[in-house]
Amino acid sequence: MAAIPMTAALSTTDATTAAAASAEADLVLCNGYVWTVDARDSIKKAVAVRDGNIIYVGTDNGAAHYIGRRTQVVDLGGRMVMPGLHDGHLHSLSAGSGLLSLDFAYASLTVAEFLDRVSVYLTKTTDQEPDGWVIGSHWYVQALRPTGVTVTRKDLDGLATERPIAISSSDFHTMLVNSRALELAGITKDTPDPAGGIIERDTAGAPTGILQDSATALVGAVLPAPTDADNLRYAEAALSALRAQGVTTFMDAAADENMLRAYTTVAEQGKLTARAHFALVVDLTEKTPLRRLKRLRRRYDAGVLRARPDVHVGNVKVFLDGVLQAPAQTAAVLEPYLVDDGHGHMVPGTRKGTIYWPQDKLDAFFTEAATSGFDPHTHAIGDHAVQVALDAFGAVRRAGYKRNRLTIAHAELVAPADIPRFHRLDVVASMGFHWAKPGPDTTDSVEPYLGPGRYENFEPEGAIFRAGGRVSLGSDWPVDPLNEWDALRTVITRTALPGTPYAKYGTMTPSQRLRRRAAIRAATLNGAYQLRQEHRTGSIEVGKLADLIVLDRNILKIPAEDIANTRVLLTLVGGKPVHGSYETFS
């Protein structure tokens, strides 16, 4: 394989000696700025890779001894190399589906702009009249303009279509449907609210077309199921977006067998470009879930990590509550949400959200899951839900399961007394860094309803880190956009992007910032720890897999705001390029 010209230091190496070396590398990256994320945060110059594993990290001169006739040598020209990103909580098939359907792209829209996007999509898909479902996603419901405006089935009913329409909010806790969709789902004024959900109604009791939380399942039950071919397309679209961001390992936090089958097919086709972990969802009504979980693990889990990325089934997921954002406010909180008393004063109301699992049943299930070798992963957003999750994880630890990787996803509001328990119980906080800034879903729809005291504990990455807890990155894509670099910028600065409407609010809860190196460690080594692969990925060290990325800028040296603009030039998984090419550096 032709080699790209080496640095002067490397060109002086005796080629015969190098070729004869017993440790000849397949690939040498040289003349770089290699941030290893090892225990010392070492900075090196070069990395050598053989059979997908890192065999050398150090100087250019040292790397020269691993160069032989077949070695691909890449002169990085001083560019930064770091471990590939680990995203510990996302929803890949729904993300891929959103990329290929009616995509609202998280935009802040007026009702007229919102309806115009639907109309444009209808015009492009007239062949699906009159019965083809319109499925919309990435609708940033909290960012509708002006603040407080709503959109209902009547707005959708005014569009020139007979098709049923179902549009999901980006947080996946709200769905907007038209009258045709309500009819197909059998939802009328007499339909009771399901457990854990709300059918919003007008003054006459008729459904408005807004469904909250489990009420969305009433429409979900009549939506056409994706085919295996659809799921393959969605998986491939998601993987393309992930590798461009430099994500080399991810965990899908709402997996079922259809998803496992799709990714296993992608892996068998040699198209899997990230290490794919899956958390199988269990709900309260399932009587013997472990039997199902074990069957799926036996069938789909690839076992030990290899250089080639595989499918891994080692996690189990439960939902404990909903969301903090108004108007839903389904996250379970210890003290009631505040309400306007009618005179402009915010006072305690009666609403506190709901815990979806009784404590005793949650304790028993998590302990049984740990006994079977699964790692529990739970959605818990309100401080009451986080407390219940920590109590359940305490039961797991008391039962003697010390090595299971226990994770709370989101943890947006945590009572101060519970912060140290993340460290004491060795619980990973998989946090959505995008939320840690002023915006419609924080400044407008959370802060007024918590009050300033509780809001200081919102998105508590900094507090958990200072108390010795382990924070990882969980983008929650497509709930949030897949922009890992802006997410890192956000948790470091706690500000909205300059030039955006919420930049005027300055820094949100500055005490909760993560320092730069801590934030990026969260997205690398801590993510690897969450998924039980820190001995093989997450840092650049001899013996680990060569899951590496090369960046267009040095994120340790540039202003923090500029991190959002980072581009990934090259993504390697097991030493193989899956995004970008070596020719970029010639």
Side-chain angles (χ1 to χ4, degrees):
M1 186 179 295
I4 294 172
M6 296 178 282
T7 62
L10 291 174
S11 64
T12 61
T13 303
D14 186 319
T16 302
T17 302
S22 61
E24 180 178 325
D26 302 319
L27 170 69
V28 167
L29 303 176
C30 61
N31 190 27
Y33 184 97
V34 181
W35 183 26
T36 64
V37 195
D38 65 8
R40 298 180 179 180
D41 268 339
S42 306
I43 305 296
K44 302 295 184 181
K45 291 279 287 183
V47 181
V49 178
R50 186 176 69 239
D51 296 331
N53 294 280
I54 298 168
I55 59 172
Y56 176 79
V57 184
T59 65
D60 285 341
N61 283 332
H65 296 290
Y66 296 87
I67 297 173
R69 288 178 299 172
R70 294 184 298 274
T71 303
Q72 173 82 57
V73 181
V74 180
D75 186 331
L76 296 173
R79 292 182 181 89
M80 184 173 186
V81 183
M82 62 175 280
L85 300 184
H86 293 57
D87 192 323
H89 185 107
L90 53 75
H91 307 282
S92 60
L93 288 193
S94 41
S97 171
L99 294 173
L100 301 176
S101 62
L102 171 55
D103 184 0
F104 288 91
Y106 313 92
S108 178
L109 304 169
T110 65
V111 172
E113 291 168 340
F114 174 88
L115 295 173
D116 184 61
R117 293 209 177 191
V118 184
S119 294
V120 169
Y121 182 81
L122 289 169
T123 300
K124 293 178 179 178
T125 56
T126 54
D127 60 314
Q128 297 180 38
E129 291 285 351
D131 297 320
W133 279 82
V134 176
I135 309 297
S137 59
H138 306 162
W139 169 37
Y140 195 173
V141 61
Q142 291 86 12
L144 277 175
R145 304 194 318 270
T147 300
V149 72
T150 59
V151 59
T152 71
R153 64 176 172 84
K154 293 182 178 179
D155 296 299
L156 296 180
D157 290 348
L159 296 170
T161 183
E162 297 179 39
R163 297 167 64 184
I165 300 173
I167 298 170
S168 294
S169 65
S170 57
D171 61 18
F172 283 86
H173 290 265
T174 301
M175 180 182 284
L176 169 68
V177 298
N178 65 353
S179 293
R180 177 83 189 281
L182 289 172
E183 177 187 350
L184 292 172
I187 300 173
T188 70
K189 66 184 301 182
D190 298 319
T191 304
D193 288 348
I198 297 171
I199 301 169
E200 292 197 1
R201 306 169 196 272
D202 61 22
T203 54
T208 65
I210 292 287
L211 307 173
Q212 303 284 8
D213 285 298
S214 67
T216 64
L218 301 175
V219 172
V222 298
L223 288 174
T227 65
D228 286 349
D230 289 333
N231 285 332
L232 281 175
R233 291 191 303 116
Y234 302 157
E236 289 173 3
L239 287 166
S240 177
L242 287 166
R243 60 181 175 258
Q245 286 284 312
V247 175
T248 55
T249 292
F250 70 89
M251 191 193 79
D252 193 293
D256 62 11
E257 187 165 10
N258 292 329
M259 183 180 297
L260 297 179
R261 187 164 55 247
Y263 276 97
T264 298
T265 300
V266 172
E268 290 170 346
Q269 294 174 346
K271 297 178 181 178
L272 188 59
T273 53
R275 305 187 191 284
H277 294 253
F278 298 92
L280 299 164
V281 178
V282 173
D283 67 41
L284 182 61
T285 63
E286 195 168 357
K287 302 221 178 274
T288 56
L290 265 299
R291 183 181 304 168
R292 174 178 64 88
L293 303 183
K294 290 178 190 177
R295 176 183 65 81
L296 293 174
R297 181 172 61 187
R298 284 194 301 271
R299 181 168 183 180
Y300 293 102
D301 185 77
V304 298
L305 289 179
R306 302 179 296 173
R308 170 180 160 168
D310 280 316
V311 167
H312 303 279
V313 187
N315 297 85
V316 61
K317 162 77 175 295
V318 302
F319 288 88
L320 279 187
D321 66 344
V323 296
L324 282 171
Q325 283 67 31
Q329 293 182 330
T330 49
V333 291
L334 293 168
E335 299 296 331
Y337 293 96
L338 302 183
V339 298
D340 193 317
D341 66 359
H343 303 285
H345 303 109
M346 299 300 286
V347 298
T350 59
R351 198 168 187 174
K352 297 177 70 174
T354 304
I355 298 289
Y356 299 158
W357 288 63
Q359 186 76 62
D360 59 345
K361 189 163 186 175
L362 186 68
D363 294 359
F365 173 68
F366 277 166
T367 302
E368 186 181 6
T371 303
S372 299
F374 287 98
D375 290 332
H377 184 103
T378 182
H379 166 119
I381 283 183
D383 51 5
H384 187 191
V386 172
Q387 190 173 89
V388 167
L390 289 168
D391 288 346
F393 288 158
V396 172
R397 296 303 190 208
R398 289 192 300 275
Y401 298 101
K402 306 298 185 185
R403 300 184 66 182
N404 290 78
R405 303 299 164 85
L406 312 177
T407 302
I408 296 178
H410 314 309
E412 290 179 15
L413 186 67
V414 183
D418 285 327
I419 292 288
R421 299 175 71 195
F422 283 86
H423 170 65
R424 288 203 303 266
L425 296 171
D426 188 20
V427 173
V428 177
S430 182
M431 305 295 284
F433 293 169
H434 275 295
W435 295 86
K437 66 180 184 301
D441 43 20
T442 57
T443 310
D444 295 341
S445 57
V446 173
E447 184 175 14
Y449 305 98
L450 295 182
R454 279 193 291 176
Y455 195 63
E456 284 298 315
N457 303 316
F458 179 66
E459 284 294 327
E461 289 91 349
I464 293 171
F465 173 77
R466 288 192 299 274
R470 189 178 272 107
V471 175
S472 71
L473 166 67
S475 71
D476 212 13
W477 182 50
V479 174
D480 288 307
L482 184 68
N483 188 335
E484 311 287 30
W485 303 97
D486 183 47
L488 289 167
R489 178 209 68 84
T490 298
V491 81
I492 294 164
T493 66
R494 311 282 292 195
T495 61
L497 277 169
T500 59
Y502 286 84
K504 65 184 179 183
Y505 290 95
T507 305
M508 186 185 92
T509 55
S511 66
Q512 301 294 357
R513 284 188 180 116
L514 281 184
R515 293 185 180 275
R516 192 177 310 211
R517 290 175 185 256
I520 301 167
R521 185 172 291 266
T524 52
L525 192 57
N526 288 2
Y529 181 89
Q530 176 191 326
L531 298 171
R532 292 202 198 203
Q533 59 181 57
E534 76 277 10
H535 298 300
R536 296 290 278 143
T537 70
S539 61
I540 302 176
E541 300 180 78
V542 172
K544 289 197 171 186
L545 292 164
D547 293 0
L548 313 172
I549 55 178
V550 182
L551 309 181
D552 70 337
R553 65 201 67 202
N554 189 323
I555 59 173
L556 293 182
K557 295 185 175 182
I558 59 176
E561 288 290 355
D562 192 33
I563 293 173
N565 301 316
T566 300
R567 287 194 309 114
V568 178
L569 302 177
L570 181 67
T571 303
L572 302 177
V573 177
K576 303 293 185 184
V578 298
H579 168 74
S581 75
Y582 298 138
E583 281 65 36
T584 301
F585 310 100
S586 59

